[in-house]
């Protein structure tokens, strides 16, 4: 099947939010705010988390490495729970049994920080991006937990179930289904995917269904969303993805999208998610990697070498003082002056 030469896979990273407010959209800021949110964690659980991370008592984690430690402890607790028995009891204390849920509710609260208060992308940026997606039928994927891009495309009717340019696998009545991402051959060239590759706090389990909340319905301290958020150290992200049928479905669709484009545009993406880089690197028909990033992330030549080390494809790099000023979507990055 022939696909438009204009079609790309657009991958958005955290730089989108950082361009609006670098403090509010930083991971550490979100962790600190969630830590202080009343009702998210008890004092006892905060002390346990600090002890697990080997940091001062009642201090919040400060990086993904410490989130890695928490994930290892959670996995260990869950394993011990699986081998406990009614006859001999379990291996965990009361705190140990509650610890996995406490951590997941904390992670959910961290992800919520990227939604509250609600922010909007600049109108001109959103309008130009929406026009390009409509024209090119490009796919969109994001590694973020925020709602910036999602809400913007919903408001512009780019995302509205089956009758839209992009589909995310959700319907109002049946929630998320893998089959909702399937496209008939006639639709494959005119319909793209919208994929929250690392999940969102908007997703929650409702019995056997996975549903999506509206921004206004977001609930902070709730345990039903945690299977669909991948906020952990990079080494654990694929295992977390595999545990969610929603996210594993998105990554299957991501590979399908890679098979329909010759160019991937990485926008405000750090390049640190090895699992994402590997998928793109192995895509045989992807010939060009286009990168738009903040000019403050290092010297141009240094960054060019960084990206060329990651991807075997032809890499073109454009660095801007404000990435939200980018507008030439179809033309790709411009040469550095």
């Amino acid at each position: 099947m022939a696909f438009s030469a204009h079609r790309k896979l657009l991958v958005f990273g955290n730089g989108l939010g950082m361009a609006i407010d670098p403090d509010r959209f930083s991971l550490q800021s979100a962790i600190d705010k969630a830590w202080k949110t009343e009702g998210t964690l008890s004092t006892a659980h905060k002390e346990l988390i600090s002890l697990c991370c080997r940091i001062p008592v009642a201090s919040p984690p400060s990086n993904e490495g410490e989130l890695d430690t928490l994930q290892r402890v959670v996995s260990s607790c869950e394993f011990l729970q699986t081998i406990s028995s009614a006859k001999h009891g379990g291996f965990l204390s009361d705190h140990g049994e509650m610890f996995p849920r406490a951590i997941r509710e904390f992670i959910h609260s961290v992800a919520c920080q990227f939604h509250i208060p609600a922010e909007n992308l600049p109108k001109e940026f959103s309008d130009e991006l929406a026009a390009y997606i409509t024209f090119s039928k490009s796919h969109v994927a994001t590694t973020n937990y925020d709602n910036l891009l999602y809400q913007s495309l919903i408001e512009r009717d780019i995302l509205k179930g089956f009758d839209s340019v992009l589909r995310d696998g959700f319907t109002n009545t049946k929630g998320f289904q893998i089959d909702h991402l399937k496209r008939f051959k006639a639709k494959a060239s005119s319909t793209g995917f919208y994929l929250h590759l690392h999940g969102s706090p908007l997703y929650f389990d409702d019995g056997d269904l996975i549903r999506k909340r509206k921004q206004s319905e977001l609930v902070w301290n709730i345990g039903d969303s945690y299977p669909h958020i991948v906020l952990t150290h990079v080494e654990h992200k694929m295992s977390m993805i595999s545990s969610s049928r929603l996210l594993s479905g998105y990554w299957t669709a991501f590979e399908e999208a890679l098979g329909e484009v010759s160019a991937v545009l990485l926008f405000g993406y750090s390049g640190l998610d090895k699992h994402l880089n590997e998928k793109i690197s192995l895509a045989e028909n992807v010939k060009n990697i286009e990168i738009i990033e903040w000019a403050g992330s290092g010297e141009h030549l240094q960054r060019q070498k960084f990206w060329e080390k990651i991807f075997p494809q032809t890499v073109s790099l454009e660095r801007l003082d404000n990435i939200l000023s980018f507008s030439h979507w179809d033309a790709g990055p411009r040469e550095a002056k």
Side-chain angles (χ1 to χ4, degrees), residues 302-317:
Q302 176 192 37
R303 293 298 294 171
Q304 182 77 28
K305 290 180 177 179
F306 169 80
W307 290 111
E308 289 177 349
K309 187 176 181 180
I310 293 175
F311 298 113
Q313 296 96 333
T314 300
V315 172
S316 52
L317 171 63

Side-chain angles (χ1 to χ4, degrees), residues 53 56 80 263 272 323:
C53 296
L80 290 172
L272 300 181
I323 60 174

Side-chain angles (χ1 to χ4, degrees), residues 55-68:
I55 54 180
V57 175
S59 296
S62 60
N63 54 58
E64 282 198 347
E66 290 171 357
L67 293 179
D68 172 48

Side-chain angles (χ1 to χ4, degrees), residues 44-182:
H45 282 141
K46 286 182 179 180
E47 290 175 351
L48 281 174
I49 289 171
S50 300
L51 288 170
C52 286
C53 296
R54 298 182 180 180
I55 54 180
V57 175
S59 296
S62 60
N63 54 58
E64 282 198 347
E66 290 171 357
L67 293 179
D68 172 48
T69 301
L70 293 178
Q71 183 57 42
R72 290 175 184 272
V73 174
V74 168
S75 298
S76 299
C77 288
E78 289 179 332
F79 173 72
L80 290 172
Q81 286 175 329
T82 64
I83 61 175
S84 62
S85 67
K87 181 178 180 181
H88 299 290
F91 295 92
L92 297 172
S93 66
D94 290 342
H95 277 315
E97 290 182 354
M98 292 187 294
F99 194 67
R101 183 178 178 89
I103 295 301
R104 289 191 172 111
E105 292 193 347
F106 174 57
I107 293 300
H108 175 75
S109 182
V110 171
C112 286
Q113 304 303 319
F114 294 104
H115 287 249
I116 303 170
E119 297 276 358
N120 295 305
L121 291 170
K123 184 179 184 303
E124 184 178 0
F125 176 86
S126 297
D127 287 346
E128 290 175 346
L129 174 58
Y132 172 68
I133 293 170
T134 301
F135 157 70
S136 67
K137 308 301 186 286
S138 290
H139 301 285
V140 175
T142 176
T143 62
N144 300 341
Y145 309 102
D146 62 59
N147 206 32
L148 290 169
L149 189 61
Y150 206 35
Q151 191 61 34
S152 171
L153 296 181
I154 289 172
E155 290 171 356
R156 287 163 176 78
D157 288 336
I158 303 296
L159 267 165
K160 55 175 183 179
F162 291 113
D163 300 320
S164 56
V165 179
L166 300 180
R167 60 177 60 178
D168 63 357
F170 281 90
T171 66
N172 290 334
T173 56
K174 295 184 178 179
F176 174 82
Q177 300 289 339
I178 295 291
D179 286 348
H180 296 167
L181 289 172
K182 293 180 180 178

Side-chain angles (χ1 to χ4, degrees), residues 219-234:
V219 179
W220 285 46
N221 188 18
I222 193 164
D224 60 6
S225 300
Y226 62 73
H228 315 300
I229 300 176
V230 184
L231 183 52
T232 186
H233 189 271
V234 65

